[in-house]
Amino acid sequence: MEKVLIYSPISEEGTIKLEDRFTVVTAVPGSEEFNREIVTATGLIGSSLKVNEALLERAPLLKVVSNISVGYDNLDIEELTKRGILATNTPDVLTETTADTIFGLLLATARRIPELDKYVKEGNWTGKLSPTLFGVDVHGKTLGIIGMGKIGQAIAKRGRFGFGMDILYHNRSRKPEAETKLGAKYVEMDDLLQQADFVCLMAPQTADTIHLISAREFSLMKETAIFVNGSRGALVNEDDLAAALKEGEILAAGLDVYEHEPLAEDHPFLGIPNLVTLPHIGSATSETRAKMEELACRNLVAGLTGEIPPSLINESVVGLRVR
């Protein structure tokens, strides 16, 4: 019987569905139980675990890795493909929810909502608000999106039709549909950085995008620009961002992702007032997480029963003999 190793929490309902078909074990990565069970596991499900050559060497029977996330930079796709192991993720079901979060972060940063909420709750609102606490408008501004995938386009839709924003974008390839439906204009990245009032980073993490946004890129932005990162923390040089905020190179920033998560207690970001920080909650609603888990389970079941998973990443594995 196939054995599934669950390495990060899923619902009781999801666990029961898998138990109806397979032997199921739950274990925390790094624990003795995990190290023991990975040796005979044929299916692996969870989020964020680094599935690399070192781990795969300890998992000779593995057939399917089911990632409960749209991103899969934690998976060594080349190594998985070489070994004939199916790799899957959970795209699409979190697109709109994540776009809600990132656009909400943009609004919160522009209008200084967390800062002013604290201002009221600490009893500092005793009269007319000082202009030093004013935010900036969002409507009618220029929104620049780096990474015009499905989530990027959903963010652009909110900006264009909800707030009358002009949309600039930069992507590895042109997106004609976004240009037609959203009035989005393709520009080179330097042009986007120089022209946008809001710079929203939504690119995938690859070897080429590590520290894509660093000191040079912040120096190109307007002093009134607001930077938002909803992609992956490693795409931004965090020291350079902290310096850009403290030195007034940009007006403010909003982050949902970080190079190392969670943030350390002494991280410099925690002392920067014009930086809004969220704890990586892009898809964190009960409804969306349930949909992600359901898709991840379907991917796993399909892969372990000889079918093609609905969200297969390494499609070239299909047709190979999976162990």
Side-chain angles (χ1 to χ4, degrees):
M1 191 175 189
E2 307 286 6
K3 184 170 83 173
V4 170
L5 177 54
I6 301 172
Y7 69 84
S8 61
I10 68 172
S11 68
E12 182 179 0
E13 180 183 2
T15 302
I16 291 172
K17 286 181 179 179
L18 294 176
E19 287 175 338
D20 287 342
R21 289 175 171 266
F22 315 115
T23 298
V24 175
V25 178
T26 300
V28 177
S31 67
E32 289 185 11
E33 185 179 14
F34 180 91
N35 294 335
R36 181 177 64 251
E37 298 295 345
I38 190 66
V39 176
T40 53
T42 54
L44 190 62
I45 184 169
S47 61
S48 302
L49 177 68
K50 289 287 184 184
V51 180
N52 51 24
E53 183 178 4
L55 183 140
L56 293 173
E57 283 294 320
R58 297 187 286 127
L61 303 182
L62 199 60
K63 298 179 180 180
V64 186
V65 175
S66 183
N67 231 33
I68 310 178
S69 71
V70 64
Y72 51 88
D73 49 278
N74 61 307
L75 306 182
D76 186 333
I77 299 300
E78 183 178 353
E79 191 66 29
L80 286 163
T81 302
K82 183 173 73 175
R83 295 168 184 262
I85 300 170
L86 302 172
T88 69
N89 65 339
T90 58
D92 302 332
V93 295
L94 50 68
T95 297
E96 296 299 331
T97 297
T98 303
D100 284 349
T101 298
I102 302 308
F103 206 87
L105 181 58
L106 184 153
L107 285 168
T109 305
R111 297 307 304 270
R112 302 171 67 173
I113 291 173
E115 183 182 356
L116 293 175
D117 171 73
K118 182 180 179 182
Y119 178 83
V120 173
K121 288 177 177 174
E122 290 183 347
N124 296 317
W125 186 31
T126 58
K128 189 175 181 179
L129 197 66
S130 166
T132 60
L133 294 173
F134 288 178
V136 297
D137 285 336
V138 174
H139 66 274
K141 296 290 184 67
T142 297
L143 172 60
I145 300 175
I146 302 170
M148 199 64 151
K150 291 180 179 178
I151 299 174
Q153 291 181 51
I155 294 167
K157 179 177 68 176
R158 286 156 174 74
R160 178 71 181 88
F161 299 116
F163 291 81
M165 303 179 84
D166 293 326
I167 308 297
L168 303 178
Y169 81 97
H170 181 75
N171 199 67
R172 287 175 294 184
S173 58
R174 296 281 290 268
K175 298 288 184 178
E177 186 176 358
E179 294 176 16
T180 301
K181 292 185 176 181
L182 303 173
K185 180 182 178 182
Y186 176 85
V187 293
E188 294 300 324
M189 195 164 82
D190 282 3
D191 293 328
L192 183 151
L193 296 172
Q194 292 170 335
Q195 297 174 33
D197 298 302
F198 295 88
V199 175
C200 185
L201 181 58
M202 297 304 301
Q205 180 175 320
T206 67
D208 294 331
T209 60
I210 300 298
H211 288 187
L212 179 68
I213 305 296
S214 297
R216 175 185 173 277
E217 287 69 36
F218 289 120
S219 72
L220 291 175
M221 296 180 196
K222 300 177 180 180
E223 289 185 359
T224 55
I226 288 176
F227 173 72
V228 175
N229 186 13
S231 55
R232 285 290 187 266
L235 273 64
V236 177
N237 184 311
E238 294 185 341
D239 290 338
D240 291 350
L241 172 57
L245 290 166
K246 291 176 180 178
E247 295 168 13
E249 282 193 294
I250 61 174
L251 181 64
L255 305 175
D256 188 40
V257 291
Y258 312 87
E259 192 151 14
H260 301 288
E261 299 178 359
L263 291 181
E265 292 182 1
D266 60 349
H267 197 288
F269 282 170
L270 302 182
I272 301 176
N274 53 334
L275 173 61
V276 177
T277 51
L278 295 181
H280 202 153
I281 62 165
S283 62
T285 68
S286 300
E287 301 95 327
T288 294
R289 288 295 172 88
K291 292 175 184 176
M292 291 169 64
E293 180 184 297
E294 192 274 333
L295 177 54
C297 288
R298 283 196 287 126
N299 283 329
L300 187 64
V301 170
L304 290 178
T305 55
E307 299 179 4
I308 299 175
S311 300
L312 180 62
I313 299 167
N314 53 347
E315 296 180 356
S316 61
V317 171
V318 176
L320 298 177
R321 181 175 67 84
V322 180
R323 292 170 301 182

